[in-house]
Amino acid sequence: MVRGPELVGELVRLRPFVDADAERAWELLQDPEGIRLTGTTASFTRDQVAAWVHDVQERPGRYDWAMTSAVRRDGELVSDEMLGEIVLNDLDEDARSANLRLNLLPNYRGRGYGREAISLVLDHAFAADGLGLHRVSLDVLDINPRARMLYESIGFTVEGRLREVYRDGDRWTDAIVMSILEHEWEPGRDLG
Ligand SMILES: CC(C)(COP(=O)(O)OP(=O)(O)OC[C@H]1O[C@@H](n2cnc3c(N)ncnc32)[C@H](O)[C@@H]1OP(=O)(O)O)[C@@H](O)C(=O)NCCC(=O)NCCS
């Protein structure tokens, strides 16, 4: 699998993972809200996270990007620190489909980074000179209205509901399946 290209917007720059991202990737897995809203159940050691970050770019069927700031001062990037991650996984080359997931560190939520990161990835996913995909899907938990509203406003359509498929503490929660098709996406459109 080829490493994902760098994708640059006004707010965020998406770049392949580097070993130094292990600490931030670990922090993502320590955030109770992120764990709850993404339905994460597995737990990992620091060493496992570092190993994952080290070899994830070589794993087939997926493209992983670290979200970083796109801000430049005097032509130089102000920071290369990872703010979150965005992933196209379950890539099916025959059906030209993939699944999307993303997660930002708590301090960077609600600033428009997620919206722009999704837009950059969809531009690349559907472009004939990018991945040439036909369909990008995701599932979002019923307890996550922020993410669901964001996906709907970007152009994802609700396809259905997997009833009580996740645990939320001692309760159940549904997953809402959403997708966007290549002809439904307007490349480079301003989502702001
Ligand atoms: C979901 C997530 C990726 C979104 O990224 P983000 O950068 O925070 O989102 P943005 O700032 O780009 O946009 C959020 C939108 O949701 C809206 N929003 C915020 N809280 C909301 C709420 N409780 N209900 C409905 N909409 C809400 C905002 O107003 C904003 O819309 P706008 O751009 O029209 O103003 C990020 O918040 C995150 O990582 N959350 C925790 C993990 C997670 O939920 N991952 C997704 C799993 S499916």
Side-chain angles (χ1 to χ4, degrees):
M1 179 72 38
V2 187
R3 288 161 69 94
E6 190 174 284
L7 304 172
V8 184
E10 286 177 17
L11 299 173
V12 286
R13 182 176 67 102
L14 309 182
R15 59 152 176 79
F17 277 85
V18 293
D19 286 353
D21 296 328
E23 191 56 33
R24 290 290 180 99
W26 168 258
E27 281 176 36
L28 271 176
L29 288 165
Q30 307 313 305
D31 166 46
E33 191 192 10
I35 289 171
R36 174 172 181 251
L37 295 178
T38 55
T40 304
T41 49
S43 55
F44 304 94
T45 64
R46 266 178 196 264
D47 286 349
Q48 284 172 324
V49 173
W52 172 262
V53 166
H54 181 72
D55 68 12
V56 71
Q57 303 298 153
E58 312 305 327
R59 291 184 183 240
R62 57 186 296 143
Y63 290 90
D64 295 66
W65 288 272
M67 292 189 224
T68 65
S69 169
V71 173
R72 288 181 179 270
R73 196 165 296 137
D74 300 328
E76 298 293 318
L77 286 167
V78 166
S79 169
D80 190 44
E81 285 281 318
M82 173 176 160
L83 314 178
E85 62 176 354
I86 183 161
V87 183
L88 279 176
N89 59 359
D90 296 340
L91 212 72
D92 182 325
E93 287 179 7
D94 291 321
R96 292 167 42 215
S97 67
N99 178 74
L100 177 74
R101 49 178 294 270
L102 73 161
N103 194 3
L104 276 159
L105 283 158
N107 287 348
Y108 303 104
R109 292 175 193 155
R111 300 188 190 184
Y113 293 154
R115 179 182 293 279
E116 191 181 70
I118 295 170
S119 161
L120 289 169
V121 167
L122 292 180
D123 276 350
H124 177 62
F126 291 132
D129 59 352
L131 299 177
L133 296 186
H134 176 63
R135 169 188 156 94
V136 173
S137 61
L138 55 82
D139 63 342
V140 57
L141 303 199
D142 207 15
I143 52 172
N144 197 353
R146 179 215 290 255
R148 179 181 167 177
M149 303 288 276
L150 176 62
Y151 303 146
E152 277 182 354
S153 73
I154 284 172
F156 282 82
T157 296
V158 173
E159 293 185 333
R161 181 178 283 269
L162 304 175
R163 295 180 307 148
E164 302 195 352
V165 67
Y166 283 95
R167 294 297 279 175
D168 176 31
D170 55 5
R171 308 172 70 156
W172 300 100
T173 186
D174 296 351
I176 298 159
V177 180
M178 306 180 80
S179 71
I180 184 165
L181 304 178
E182 58 181 320
H183 64 270
E184 295 167 341
W185 177 245
E186 210 179 294
R189 81 180 155 143
D190 181 12
L191 292 166

Short mmCIF file of all heavy atoms in Angstrom, two decimals, residues 11-12 28 31 33-39 67 83-86 100-106 108-118 138-141 143-151 153-154 176 191-192, ligand 1:
data_model
loop_
_atom_site.label_atom_id
_atom_site.label_comp_id
_atom_site.label_asym_id
_atom_site.label_seq_id
_atom_site.Cartn_x
_atom_site.Cartn_y
_atom_site.Cartn_z
N LEU A 11 -7.11 25.13 7.07
CA LEU A 11 -6.93 24.93 8.52
C LEU A 11 -6.04 23.73 8.83
O LEU A 11 -5.25 23.77 9.76
CB LEU A 11 -8.29 24.67 9.19
CG LEU A 11 -9.35 25.75 9.10
CD1 LEU A 11 -10.67 25.22 9.67
CD2 LEU A 11 -8.89 26.97 9.89
N VAL A 12 -6.26 22.66 8.08
CA VAL A 12 -5.55 21.42 8.42
C VAL A 12 -4.69 20.92 7.27
O VAL A 12 -5.01 21.12 6.10
CB VAL A 12 -6.51 20.26 8.84
CG1 VAL A 12 -7.08 20.47 10.21
CG2 VAL A 12 -7.57 20.00 7.82
N LEU A 28 -5.02 10.06 22.37
CA LEU A 28 -6.36 9.85 21.80
C LEU A 28 -7.07 8.68 22.46
O LEU A 28 -8.27 8.71 22.69
CB LEU A 28 -6.25 9.55 20.30
CG LEU A 28 -6.26 10.70 19.31
CD1 LEU A 28 -6.03 10.17 17.89
CD2 LEU A 28 -7.57 11.48 19.36
N ASP A 31 -8.71 9.39 26.09
CA ASP A 31 -9.78 10.36 26.25
C ASP A 31 -11.13 9.67 26.40
O ASP A 31 -11.62 9.05 25.44
CB ASP A 31 -9.78 11.29 25.02
CG ASP A 31 -11.06 12.11 24.95
OD1 ASP A 31 -11.44 12.66 26.01
OD2 ASP A 31 -11.67 12.17 23.87
N GLU A 33 -14.22 10.69 26.45
CA GLU A 33 -15.29 11.08 25.53
C GLU A 33 -15.06 10.47 24.14
O GLU A 33 -15.98 9.94 23.51
CB GLU A 33 -15.39 12.61 25.43
CG GLU A 33 -16.65 13.04 24.70
CD GLU A 33 -16.66 14.51 24.31
OE1 GLU A 33 -15.63 15.19 24.43
OE2 GLU A 33 -17.73 14.96 23.86
N GLY A 34 -13.81 10.55 23.68
CA GLY A 34 -13.48 9.98 22.37
C GLY A 34 -13.72 8.48 22.35
O GLY A 34 -14.26 7.92 21.39
N ILE A 35 -13.33 7.81 23.44
CA ILE A 35 -13.52 6.35 23.54
C ILE A 35 -15.01 6.02 23.46
O ILE A 35 -15.44 5.13 22.73
CB ILE A 35 -12.91 5.83 24.86
CG1 ILE A 35 -11.39 5.90 24.78
CG2 ILE A 35 -13.39 4.42 25.18
CD1 ILE A 35 -10.70 5.62 26.11
N ARG A 36 -15.80 6.82 24.20
CA ARG A 36 -17.25 6.55 24.23
C ARG A 36 -17.88 6.81 22.86
O ARG A 36 -18.64 6.00 22.36
CB ARG A 36 -17.89 7.45 25.30
CG ARG A 36 -19.39 7.38 25.32
CD ARG A 36 -19.98 8.13 26.50
NE ARG A 36 -21.42 8.00 26.49
CZ ARG A 36 -22.27 9.00 26.19
NH1 ARG A 36 -21.79 10.20 25.90
NH2 ARG A 36 -23.57 8.79 26.19
N LEU A 37 -17.53 7.96 22.26
CA LEU A 37 -18.21 8.36 21.02
C LEU A 37 -17.78 7.55 19.81
O LEU A 37 -18.50 7.51 18.80
CB LEU A 37 -18.00 9.86 20.77
CG LEU A 37 -18.64 10.78 21.81
CD1 LEU A 37 -18.32 12.23 21.49
CD2 LEU A 37 -20.16 10.56 21.86
N THR A 38 -16.61 6.95 19.87
CA THR A 38 -16.18 6.11 18.75
C THR A 38 -16.48 4.63 19.01
O THR A 38 -16.21 3.79 18.16
CB THR A 38 -14.66 6.26 18.48
OG1 THR A 38 -13.95 5.99 19.69
CG2 THR A 38 -14.32 7.67 18.01
N GLY A 39 -17.02 4.32 20.18
CA GLY A 39 -17.37 2.92 20.48
C GLY A 39 -16.14 2.04 20.62
O GLY A 39 -16.19 0.84 20.34
N MET A 67 -3.81 14.49 11.37
CA MET A 67 -4.24 15.87 11.12
C MET A 67 -3.26 16.79 11.85
O MET A 67 -2.97 16.58 13.03
CB MET A 67 -5.63 16.11 11.71
CG MET A 67 -6.73 15.38 11.03
SD MET A 67 -8.30 16.02 11.71
CE MET A 67 -9.15 14.49 11.95
N LEU A 83 -2.92 16.52 15.64
CA LEU A 83 -4.10 17.01 16.37
C LEU A 83 -5.20 15.96 16.42
O LEU A 83 -6.15 16.08 17.20
CB LEU A 83 -4.67 18.26 15.69
CG LEU A 83 -3.68 19.35 15.27
CD1 LEU A 83 -4.40 20.48 14.57
CD2 LEU A 83 -2.91 19.86 16.48
N GLY A 84 -5.09 14.98 15.55
CA GLY A 84 -6.10 13.93 15.47
C GLY A 84 -5.75 13.02 14.30
O GLY A 84 -4.69 13.18 13.68
N GLU A 85 -6.65 12.10 14.01
CA GLU A 85 -6.39 11.18 12.90
C GLU A 85 -7.63 11.07 12.03
O GLU A 85 -8.76 11.26 12.50
CB GLU A 85 -6.02 9.79 13.44
CG GLU A 85 -7.15 9.17 14.24
CD GLU A 85 -6.87 7.75 14.71
OE1 GLU A 85 -5.86 7.19 14.33
OE2 GLU A 85 -7.72 7.24 15.46
N ILE A 86 -7.41 10.78 10.75
CA ILE A 86 -8.52 10.51 9.83
C ILE A 86 -8.09 9.34 8.94
O ILE A 86 -6.94 9.30 8.49
CB ILE A 86 -8.94 11.77 9.04
CG1 ILE A 86 -10.15 11.47 8.15
CG2 ILE A 86 -7.80 12.38 8.26
CD1 ILE A 86 -10.90 12.71 7.69
N LEU A 100 -14.88 5.48 6.34
CA LEU A 100 -14.18 6.66 6.88
C LEU A 100 -14.34 6.71 8.39
O LEU A 100 -15.42 6.42 8.92
CB LEU A 100 -14.81 7.93 6.28
CG LEU A 100 -14.28 9.27 6.78
CD1 LEU A 100 -12.91 9.55 6.20
CD2 LEU A 100 -15.24 10.40 6.41
N ARG A 101 -13.26 7.06 9.08
CA ARG A 101 -13.40 7.35 10.52
C ARG A 101 -12.44 8.46 10.89
O ARG A 101 -11.39 8.64 10.23
CB ARG A 101 -13.18 6.10 11.38
CG ARG A 101 -11.95 5.29 11.07
CD ARG A 101 -11.83 4.12 12.01
NE ARG A 101 -11.59 4.61 13.35
CZ ARG A 101 -10.39 4.83 13.86
NH1 ARG A 101 -9.32 4.56 13.16
NH2 ARG A 101 -10.25 5.31 15.08
N LEU A 102 -12.76 9.22 11.91
CA LEU A 102 -11.85 10.27 12.36
C LEU A 102 -12.05 10.55 13.84
O LEU A 102 -13.09 10.24 14.41
CB LEU A 102 -12.00 11.56 11.54
CG LEU A 102 -13.21 12.45 11.74
CD1 LEU A 102 -12.89 13.83 11.18
CD2 LEU A 102 -14.42 11.90 11.03
N ASN A 103 -11.01 11.10 14.44
CA ASN A 103 -11.03 11.38 15.86
C ASN A 103 -10.02 12.50 16.14
O ASN A 103 -8.87 12.41 15.74
CB ASN A 103 -10.62 10.11 16.63
CG ASN A 103 -10.93 10.18 18.10
OD1 ASN A 103 -11.50 11.17 18.58
ND2 ASN A 103 -10.53 9.17 18.84
N LEU A 104 -10.49 13.56 16.80
CA LEU A 104 -9.61 14.67 17.16
C LEU A 104 -9.32 14.65 18.64
O LEU A 104 -10.19 14.26 19.44
CB LEU A 104 -10.31 15.99 16.82
CG LEU A 104 -10.20 16.48 15.38
CD1 LEU A 104 -11.33 17.46 15.09
CD2 LEU A 104 -8.86 17.15 15.14
N LEU A 105 -8.16 15.12 19.04
CA LEU A 105 -7.88 15.31 20.46
C LEU A 105 -8.84 16.36 21.01
O LEU A 105 -9.23 17.30 20.29
CB LEU A 105 -6.43 15.74 20.66
CG LEU A 105 -5.42 14.59 20.52
CD1 LEU A 105 -4.04 15.12 20.19
CD2 LEU A 105 -5.38 13.75 21.79
N PRO A 106 -9.26 16.25 22.28
CA PRO A 106 -10.32 17.10 22.82
C PRO A 106 -10.10 18.60 22.58
O PRO A 106 -11.04 19.30 22.23
CB PRO A 106 -10.31 16.77 24.32
CG PRO A 106 -9.76 15.39 24.40
CD PRO A 106 -8.80 15.24 23.25
N TYR A 108 -8.95 20.20 20.23
CA TYR A 108 -9.03 20.65 18.83
C TYR A 108 -10.39 20.41 18.22
O TYR A 108 -10.58 20.62 17.02
CB TYR A 108 -7.91 19.97 18.01
CG TYR A 108 -6.57 20.26 18.60
CD1 TYR A 108 -5.89 19.28 19.33
CD2 TYR A 108 -5.99 21.52 18.47
CE1 TYR A 108 -4.66 19.56 19.92
CE2 TYR A 108 -4.77 21.81 19.05
CZ TYR A 108 -4.11 20.83 19.77
OH TYR A 108 -2.91 21.12 20.35
N ARG A 109 -11.36 19.96 19.03
CA ARG A 109 -12.71 19.74 18.51
C ARG A 109 -13.47 21.07 18.41
O ARG A 109 -13.18 22.01 19.16
CB ARG A 109 -13.48 18.78 19.43
CG ARG A 109 -12.89 17.39 19.36
CD ARG A 109 -13.53 16.42 20.34
NE ARG A 109 -12.69 15.22 20.40
CZ ARG A 109 -12.63 14.39 21.43
NH1 ARG A 109 -13.37 14.59 22.50
NH2 ARG A 109 -11.82 13.35 21.38
N GLY A 110 -14.45 21.10 17.49
CA GLY A 110 -15.34 22.26 17.39
C GLY A 110 -14.68 23.48 16.76
O GLY A 110 -15.16 24.60 16.92
N ARG A 111 -13.59 23.31 16.03
CA ARG A 111 -12.91 24.45 15.41
C ARG A 111 -12.93 24.37 13.88
O ARG A 111 -12.24 25.15 13.21
CB ARG A 111 -11.43 24.47 15.83
CG ARG A 111 -11.20 24.59 17.30
CD ARG A 111 -9.72 24.80 17.49
NE ARG A 111 -9.30 24.70 18.86
CZ ARG A 111 -8.05 24.92 19.25
NH1 ARG A 111 -7.13 25.23 18.36
NH2 ARG A 111 -7.72 24.82 20.51
N GLY A 112 -13.66 23.40 13.35
CA GLY A 112 -13.74 23.27 11.89
C GLY A 112 -12.71 22.34 11.30
O GLY A 112 -12.69 22.12 10.08
N TYR A 113 -11.83 21.79 12.14
CA TYR A 113 -10.79 20.89 11.60
C TYR A 113 -11.40 19.62 11.00
O TYR A 113 -10.97 19.14 9.96
CB TYR A 113 -9.80 20.49 12.69
CG TYR A 113 -8.94 21.60 13.22
CD1 TYR A 113 -8.42 21.54 14.52
CD2 TYR A 113 -8.59 22.70 12.44
CE1 TYR A 113 -7.61 22.54 15.02
CE2 TYR A 113 -7.78 23.70 12.94
CZ TYR A 113 -7.29 23.62 14.24
OH TYR A 113 -6.49 24.61 14.73
N GLY A 114 -12.40 19.07 11.73
CA GLY A 114 -13.01 17.81 11.26
C GLY A 114 -13.67 17.99 9.91
O GLY A 114 -13.49 17.19 9.00
N ARG A 115 -14.43 19.08 9.79
CA ARG A 115 -15.14 19.36 8.53
C ARG A 115 -14.15 19.46 7.37
O ARG A 115 -14.33 18.85 6.33
CB ARG A 115 -15.93 20.66 8.67
CG ARG A 115 -16.68 21.07 7.44
CD ARG A 115 -17.38 22.40 7.68
NE ARG A 115 -18.45 22.30 8.66
CZ ARG A 115 -19.68 21.85 8.39
NH1 ARG A 115 -19.99 21.49 7.16
NH2 ARG A 115 -20.59 21.79 9.32
N GLU A 116 -13.09 20.24 7.56
CA GLU A 116 -12.15 20.42 6.45
C GLU A 116 -11.38 19.13 6.16
O GLU A 116 -11.12 18.80 5.00
CB GLU A 116 -11.16 21.55 6.73
CG GLU A 116 -10.40 21.90 5.47
CD GLU A 116 -9.38 23.00 5.68
OE1 GLU A 116 -8.36 22.77 6.36
OE2 GLU A 116 -9.60 24.10 5.16
N ALA A 117 -11.04 18.38 7.20
CA ALA A 117 -10.30 17.12 6.99
C ALA A 117 -11.13 16.14 6.16
O ALA A 117 -10.62 15.49 5.24
CB ALA A 117 -9.92 16.50 8.34
N ILE A 118 -12.43 16.04 6.47
CA ILE A 118 -13.30 15.14 5.70
C ILE A 118 -13.36 15.59 4.24
O ILE A 118 -13.27 14.79 3.31
CB ILE A 118 -14.72 15.09 6.31
CG1 ILE A 118 -14.67 14.47 7.70
CG2 ILE A 118 -15.66 14.30 5.41
CD1 ILE A 118 -15.98 14.60 8.50
N LEU A 138 -19.65 5.28 6.54
CA LEU A 138 -19.19 5.34 7.93
C LEU A 138 -20.35 4.93 8.82
O LEU A 138 -21.49 4.86 8.38
CB LEU A 138 -18.73 6.76 8.28
CG LEU A 138 -19.70 7.91 8.05
CD1 LEU A 138 -20.69 8.07 9.19
CD2 LEU A 138 -18.93 9.22 7.89
N ASP A 139 -20.04 4.64 10.06
CA ASP A 139 -21.14 4.53 11.01
C ASP A 139 -20.87 5.42 12.21
O ASP A 139 -19.73 5.62 12.61
CB ASP A 139 -21.50 3.07 11.39
CG ASP A 139 -20.38 2.35 12.09
OD1 ASP A 139 -19.24 2.81 12.01
OD2 ASP A 139 -20.68 1.32 12.74
N VAL A 140 -21.95 6.01 12.69
CA VAL A 140 -21.85 6.98 13.79
C VAL A 140 -22.84 6.54 14.88
O VAL A 140 -23.96 6.14 14.58
CB VAL A 140 -22.13 8.41 13.27
CG1 VAL A 140 -23.47 8.54 12.59
CG2 VAL A 140 -22.01 9.44 14.39
N LEU A 141 -22.39 6.61 16.11
CA LEU A 141 -23.25 6.17 17.20
C LEU A 141 -24.39 7.16 17.43
O LEU A 141 -24.22 8.37 17.27
CB LEU A 141 -22.45 6.00 18.50
CG LEU A 141 -21.24 5.06 18.49
CD1 LEU A 141 -20.88 4.66 19.91
CD2 LEU A 141 -21.49 3.84 17.65
N ILE A 143 -25.43 8.22 20.09
CA ILE A 143 -25.10 9.14 21.18
C ILE A 143 -24.17 10.26 20.72
O ILE A 143 -23.65 11.00 21.54
CB ILE A 143 -24.42 8.38 22.35
CG1 ILE A 143 -23.24 7.56 21.83
CG2 ILE A 143 -25.43 7.52 23.10
CD1 ILE A 143 -22.39 6.92 22.90
N ASN A 144 -23.95 10.38 19.39
CA ASN A 144 -22.98 11.34 18.88
C ASN A 144 -23.62 12.30 17.87
O ASN A 144 -23.28 12.30 16.68
CB ASN A 144 -21.83 10.56 18.21
CG ASN A 144 -20.58 11.40 18.02
OD1 ASN A 144 -20.59 12.61 18.26
ND2 ASN A 144 -19.52 10.77 17.57
N PRO A 145 -24.57 13.16 18.34
CA PRO A 145 -25.27 14.04 17.40
C PRO A 145 -24.35 15.03 16.70
O PRO A 145 -24.58 15.39 15.55
CB PRO A 145 -26.30 14.78 18.29
CG PRO A 145 -25.79 14.64 19.68
CD PRO A 145 -25.04 13.34 19.72
N ARG A 146 -23.28 15.46 17.37
CA ARG A 146 -22.36 16.41 16.76
C ARG A 146 -21.79 15.82 15.45
O ARG A 146 -21.81 16.47 14.40
CB ARG A 146 -21.20 16.73 17.70
CG ARG A 146 -20.18 17.69 17.09
CD ARG A 146 -18.76 17.39 17.52
NE ARG A 146 -18.47 17.67 18.90
CZ ARG A 146 -17.76 18.72 19.33
NH1 ARG A 146 -17.29 19.59 18.48
NH2 ARG A 146 -17.52 18.87 20.60
N ALA A 147 -21.28 14.60 15.56
CA ALA A 147 -20.67 13.97 14.38
C ALA A 147 -21.74 13.72 13.31
O ALA A 147 -21.52 13.98 12.13
CB ALA A 147 -19.98 12.67 14.78
N ARG A 148 -22.91 13.25 13.72
CA ARG A 148 -23.95 12.94 12.74
C ARG A 148 -24.37 14.20 11.97
O ARG A 148 -24.51 14.17 10.75
CB ARG A 148 -25.15 12.32 13.44
CG ARG A 148 -26.25 12.02 12.45
CD ARG A 148 -27.46 11.42 13.08
NE ARG A 148 -28.55 11.47 12.13
CZ ARG A 148 -29.75 10.97 12.37
NH1 ARG A 148 -30.00 10.39 13.51
NH2 ARG A 148 -30.68 11.05 11.45
N MET A 149 -24.58 15.31 12.69
CA MET A 149 -24.98 16.56 12.03
C MET A 149 -23.89 17.02 11.07
O MET A 149 -24.17 17.52 9.99
CB MET A 149 -25.23 17.66 13.06
CG MET A 149 -26.25 17.34 14.10
SD MET A 149 -27.90 17.34 13.46
CE MET A 149 -28.27 19.05 13.57
N LEU A 150 -22.66 16.85 11.50
CA LEU A 150 -21.54 17.25 10.64
C LEU A 150 -21.56 16.44 9.34
O LEU A 150 -21.48 16.99 8.25
CB LEU A 150 -20.22 17.05 11.39
CG LEU A 150 -18.94 17.33 10.62
CD1 LEU A 150 -18.88 18.79 10.18
CD2 LEU A 150 -17.72 16.99 11.47
N TYR A 151 -21.70 15.12 9.46
CA TYR A 151 -21.69 14.27 8.27
C TYR A 151 -22.87 14.61 7.35
O TYR A 151 -22.72 14.65 6.13
CB TYR A 151 -21.74 12.79 8.66
CG TYR A 151 -20.62 12.33 9.57
CD1 TYR A 151 -20.84 11.37 10.54
CD2 TYR A 151 -19.34 12.87 9.46
CE1 TYR A 151 -19.81 10.95 11.39
CE2 TYR A 151 -18.32 12.47 10.30
CZ TYR A 151 -18.56 11.51 11.27
OH TYR A 151 -17.55 11.10 12.10
N SER A 153 -24.35 17.49 7.06
CA SER A 153 -24.16 18.79 6.42
C SER A 153 -23.10 18.71 5.32
O SER A 153 -23.08 19.53 4.41
CB SER A 153 -23.81 19.86 7.45
OG SER A 153 -22.49 19.68 7.92
N ILE A 154 -22.25 17.71 5.39
CA ILE A 154 -21.23 17.52 4.34
C ILE A 154 -21.84 16.82 3.12
O ILE A 154 -21.35 16.96 2.01
CB ILE A 154 -20.05 16.72 4.93
CG1 ILE A 154 -19.21 17.64 5.81
CG2 ILE A 154 -19.20 16.07 3.85
CD1 ILE A 154 -18.13 16.93 6.60
N ILE A 176 -25.71 4.45 13.36
CA ILE A 176 -26.38 4.94 12.15
C ILE A 176 -25.39 4.82 10.99
O ILE A 176 -24.27 5.32 11.08
CB ILE A 176 -26.82 6.40 12.34
CG1 ILE A 176 -27.82 6.45 13.51
CG2 ILE A 176 -27.43 6.96 11.07
CD1 ILE A 176 -27.96 7.80 14.13
N LEU A 191 -17.19 24.16 2.31
CA LEU A 191 -18.18 23.60 3.24
C LEU A 191 -18.44 24.53 4.41
O LEU A 191 -19.23 24.22 5.28
CB LEU A 191 -17.66 22.26 3.78
CG LEU A 191 -17.59 21.14 2.74
CD1 LEU A 191 -16.77 20.01 3.28
CD2 LEU A 191 -18.97 20.69 2.38
N GLY A 192 -17.77 25.64 4.45
CA GLY A 192 -17.87 26.50 5.63
C GLY A 192 -19.20 27.19 5.80
O GLY A 192 -20.07 27.10 5.01
C1 LIG B 1 -16.69 14.41 15.48
C2 LIG B 1 -15.44 15.24 15.21
C3 LIG B 1 -14.47 14.46 14.35
C4 LIG B 1 -15.90 16.51 14.45
O1 LIG B 1 -14.81 17.31 14.19
P1 LIG B 1 -14.81 18.85 14.68
O2 LIG B 1 -13.59 19.49 14.14
O3 LIG B 1 -15.03 18.87 16.15
O4 LIG B 1 -16.09 19.36 13.94
P2 LIG B 1 -16.25 20.75 13.28
O5 LIG B 1 -15.79 21.81 14.23
O6 LIG B 1 -15.61 20.72 11.92
O7 LIG B 1 -17.84 20.81 13.07
C5 LIG B 1 -18.70 20.39 14.08
C6 LIG B 1 -20.10 20.78 13.67
O8 LIG B 1 -21.01 20.16 14.57
C7 LIG B 1 -21.78 21.16 15.22
N1 LIG B 1 -22.00 20.70 16.57
C8 LIG B 1 -21.21 20.81 17.63
N2 LIG B 1 -21.76 20.22 18.69
C9 LIG B 1 -22.95 19.74 18.29
C10 LIG B 1 -24.01 19.03 18.92
N3 LIG B 1 -23.96 18.68 20.21
N4 LIG B 1 -25.09 18.67 18.18
C11 LIG B 1 -25.16 19.00 16.87
N5 LIG B 1 -24.18 19.67 16.21
C12 LIG B 1 -23.10 20.04 16.93
C13 LIG B 1 -20.96 22.42 15.15
O9 LIG B 1 -21.81 23.53 15.24
C14 LIG B 1 -20.30 22.27 13.80
O10 LIG B 1 -21.17 22.66 12.77
P3 LIG B 1 -20.87 23.99 11.92
O11 LIG B 1 -19.57 23.78 11.22
O12 LIG B 1 -22.03 24.06 10.96
O13 LIG B 1 -20.82 25.11 12.91
C15 LIG B 1 -14.72 15.66 16.53
O14 LIG B 1 -15.57 16.48 17.30
C16 LIG B 1 -14.27 14.48 17.37
O15 LIG B 1 -13.18 13.96 17.18
N6 LIG B 1 -15.12 14.05 18.30
C17 LIG B 1 -14.81 12.93 19.20
C18 LIG B 1 -14.65 11.60 18.44
C19 LIG B 1 -15.78 11.38 17.46
O16 LIG B 1 -16.94 11.61 17.76
N7 LIG B 1 -15.42 10.88 16.27
C20 LIG B 1 -16.38 10.56 15.23
C21 LIG B 1 -16.91 9.20 15.43
S1 LIG B 1 -18.15 8.81 14.21
#
